[in-house]
Amino acid sequence: MKTILIDDEVHCITTLSWAIKEYCPELEIVATGCNGVEGIKLIRDHKPDVVFLDIEMPILNGLDMLNAIENIDFKVIFTTAYNQYAVRAIKLSATDYLLKPIDKDELMIAVKKLSAEFSEHDEKNKINTLKHNLGVVPGLHKVVVPTDDGILFFDLVNIVHLEADSNYTMIYFDDLTKIISSRVLKDFEDLLPKEQFFRCHRSHIINLNFIQKYIKGEGGSIVLKNGKMIELSRRKKADFLEIIGM
């Protein structure tokens, strides 16, 4: 797969180039660039299959660079030293990313995930989702999440609880509607504000503002305002009782 590396830090390009050549023979590095403007030209000239892209760059950052490209017909793997909130946004947006300094095992996993065929529309959706999430995560009130049939915008205050469903997550709202997201429950646990949301069980996250009743037991059960009864795991009981002041 034809590959381009774009990063304003020369040592990052050097290190990543070496790791790709050493551990990822399926990738062929055809060009490297040091900013978004140069990246646009390289992408047009070489028509790559994969672009490893830094987000924070002078002149034109990675997201603005992608926004300037009309047809995103290549896979994007972000390389970033962003803080934990931005990394959560990247993860929730269903995009691939590598944290700096890049670990060879994580690099190999990311490359193996690259699909031989993919939808240009899906790739654009991922980028647009990421751009929005990066903007809202620090003071999180609203977020967008990719679903099987598109992208959903929602307010956190309207979420009653979330439930794991294999590799998907069911999200239940206060108007009794629900949607299924193509992200796992752990992704939401990492992103959602801890002062508002609590993972009370391996399969459940609840919005603390919607608790109606606690039923004592070995672990106990939590009744929410929508009538749903959620199991509280034994190992989470002490944390929960502390939160509700018992």
Side-chain angles (χ1 to χ4, degrees):
M1 290 179 281
K2 291 192 296 183
T3 302
I4 290 177
L5 315 182
I6 304 173
D7 197 311
D8 65 310
E9 297 179 285
V10 176
H11 72 276
C12 289
I13 288 183
T14 301
T15 301
L16 182 56
S17 296
W18 177 87
I20 287 174
K21 291 174 183 177
E22 189 76 14
Y23 301 109
C24 305
E26 58 268 66
L27 301 184
E28 176 194 5
I29 300 174
V30 295
T32 64
C34 61
N35 59 65
V37 174
E38 187 176 353
I40 292 173
K41 183 178 186 304
L42 292 175
I43 288 169
R44 288 173 178 168
D45 290 345
H46 294 277
K47 299 184 178 1
D49 300 300
V50 184
V51 173
F52 285 81
L53 179 63
D54 187 21
I55 296 178
E56 281 294 291
M57 296 185 294
I59 304 177
L60 191 68
N61 69 38
L63 292 175
D64 288 338
M65 186 204 83
L66 291 174
N67 197 45
I69 298 174
E70 185 174 351
N71 297 314
I72 301 177
D73 54 356
F74 49 87
K75 277 288 189 181
V76 178
I77 297 179
F78 290 106
T79 57
T80 179
Y82 257 22
N83 64 36
Q84 59 177 327
Y85 295 106
V87 169
R88 290 173 184 174
I90 295 170
K91 187 175 183 180
L92 193 61
S93 306
T95 56
D96 288 321
Y97 70 96
L98 294 169
L99 277 179
K100 296 178 181 178
I102 292 172
D103 177 81
K104 70 177 181 64
D105 293 325
E106 292 180 357
L107 169 64
M108 293 168 68
I109 291 171
V111 170
K112 285 181 180 178
K113 286 167 60 179
L114 293 174
S115 174
E117 295 182 2
F118 61 90
S119 164
E120 175 189 325
H121 176 71
D122 287 343
E123 197 68 15
K124 283 187 174 180
N125 275 346
K126 290 179 183 180
I127 303 304
N128 289 334
T129 302
L130 171 61
K131 290 175 71 174
H132 182 84
N133 281 341
L134 283 172
V136 301
V137 166
L140 195 63
H141 299 291
K142 178 177 287 188
V143 73
V144 288
V145 174
T147 62
D148 282 344
D149 57 358
I151 296 176
L152 176 71
F153 290 73
F154 60 83
D155 293 308
L156 298 187
V157 294
N158 301 130
I159 298 175
V160 179
H161 72 285
L162 304 92
E163 181 178 7
D165 183 6
S166 185
N167 291 324
Y168 296 84
T169 297
M170 296 297 303
I171 304 175
Y172 296 84
F173 297 91
D174 57 358
D175 62 358
L176 302 183
T177 60
K178 64 181 180 180
I179 63 102
I180 186 166
S181 169
S182 55
R183 309 308 297 158
V184 297
L185 193 65
K186 181 63 167 64
D187 291 345
F188 289 98
E189 181 184 16
D190 289 341
L191 180 75
L192 295 172
K194 299 296 187 290
E195 65 274 12
Q196 184 178 354
F197 291 88
F198 177 70
R199 188 163 186 174
C200 60
H201 187 274
R202 68 171 180 265
S203 298
H204 298 282
I205 295 175
I206 62 170
N207 185 335
L208 296 168
N209 295 321
F210 285 96
I211 296 175
Q212 186 174 62
K213 183 180 181 181
Y214 169 63
I215 301 174
K216 295 180 180 180
E218 187 174 3
S221 299
I222 301 165
V223 180
L224 301 176
K225 291 181 181 179
N226 63 356
K228 183 80 170 180
M229 184 178 291
I230 306 293
E231 182 181 354
L232 175 64
S233 70
R234 285 181 297 173
R235 66 185 184 86
K236 292 285 189 175
K237 183 176 179 178
D239 291 338
F240 176 73
L241 293 178
E242 182 179 354
I243 287 173
I244 65 173
M246 291 183 63

